């Protein structure tokens, strides 16, 4: 009888591990902008723009890098997905800040976020956006010029 109970406990542990590995849980928590991923995506997107007349690719890319670095230095984003299905996104860009709140729902790798409040005011028309969740990262592509990536804080 002792063997069977131990085997059952091991079975429950294995199921929990498989659920976690398959994304069955663990999405709740605090996230920060993945600056390296966002920087790379911004560079890729911007480099597809036509070169200004009389500018070499090398000079243009250098200017893009400097502009992106300046923007990244002034921007912070923090996302918290709460266990009750609500979220808070805090964005700071220079001296300005915005706080967005809403609800979230996950179905496999798909994360749907609905914005219901902005800077403490209820939105008349809630805005919905879909994102992808994988390996502790949330990637927003919808309504974006380039992907915005958040990584889970450790």
């Amino acid at each position: 009888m002792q063997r069977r109970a131990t085997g059952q406990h091991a079975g429950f542990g294995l199921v929990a591990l498989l659920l976690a590995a398959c994304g069955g849980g663990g999405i709740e928590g605090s996230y920060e902008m993945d600056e390296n991923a966002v920087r790379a995506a911004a560079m890729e997107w911007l480099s597809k723009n036509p070169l200004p007349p009389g500018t070499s690719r090398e000079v243009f890319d250098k200017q893009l890098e400097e502009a992106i670095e300046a923007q990244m230095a002034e921007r912070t984003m923090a996302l918290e997905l709460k266990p009750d299905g609500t979220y808070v996104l805090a964005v700071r860009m220079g001296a300005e800040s915005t706080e967005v709140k809403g609800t979230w729902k996950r179905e496999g790798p798909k994360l749907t976020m609905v914005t219901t409040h902005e800077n403490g005011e209820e939105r008349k028309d809630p805005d919905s956006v879909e994102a992808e969740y994988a390996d502790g990262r949330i990637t927003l592509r919808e309504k974006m010029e380039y992907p915005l990536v958040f990584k889970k804080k450790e």
Side-chain angles (χ1 to χ4, degrees):
M1 193 66 155
Q2 182 66 21
R3 272 187 180 189
R4 181 173 290 180
T6 304
Q8 287 175 339
H9 284 70
F12 288 127
L14 180 60
V15 168
L17 283 173
L18 288 173
L19 281 173
C22 294
I27 191 172
E28 298 92 355
S30 297
Y31 293 79
E32 60 191 352
M33 183 173 58
D34 184 338
E35 291 184 8
N36 291 331
V38 172
R39 185 180 292 112
M43 277 299 295
E44 181 181 338
W45 178 75
L46 289 169
S47 68
K48 293 177 182 175
N49 289 323
L51 292 173
T55 305
S56 71
R57 171 58 57 191
E58 185 177 303
V59 169
F60 186 64
D61 286 349
K62 179 89 171 130
Q63 290 171 342
L64 288 178
E65 283 179 38
E66 290 171 359
I68 290 169
E69 287 304 317
Q71 186 181 45
M72 297 297 277
E74 290 202 6
R75 178 171 56 177
T76 60
M77 297 180 134
L79 173 65
E80 183 178 357
L81 297 181
K82 298 181 180 184
D84 67 357
T86 62
Y87 78 88
V88 177
L89 173 64
V91 180
R92 183 189 58 78
M93 185 72 160
E96 295 187 30
S97 62
T98 301
E99 183 178 82
V100 176
K101 295 181 178 183
T103 60
W104 66 270
K105 182 172 89 172
R106 178 180 175 202
E107 294 175 348
K110 183 174 104 174
L111 176 66
T112 303
M113 299 169 64
V114 178
T115 300
T116 57
H117 292 79
E118 188 169 340
N119 294 326
E121 302 277 328
E122 186 172 353
R123 293 184 73 167
K124 292 179 182 167
D125 295 319
D127 188 29
S128 178
V129 65
E130 289 186 2
E132 299 166 17
Y133 175 78
D135 302 322
R137 286 184 154 46
I138 296 171
T139 305
L140 295 159
R141 287 182 167 63
E142 188 179 334
K143 302 177 185 176
M144 302 292 212
E145 293 170 332
Y146 53 86
L148 187 57
V149 183
F150 291 89
K151 62 182 177 181
K152 197 165 194 179
K153 289 184 181 178
E154 296 179 15

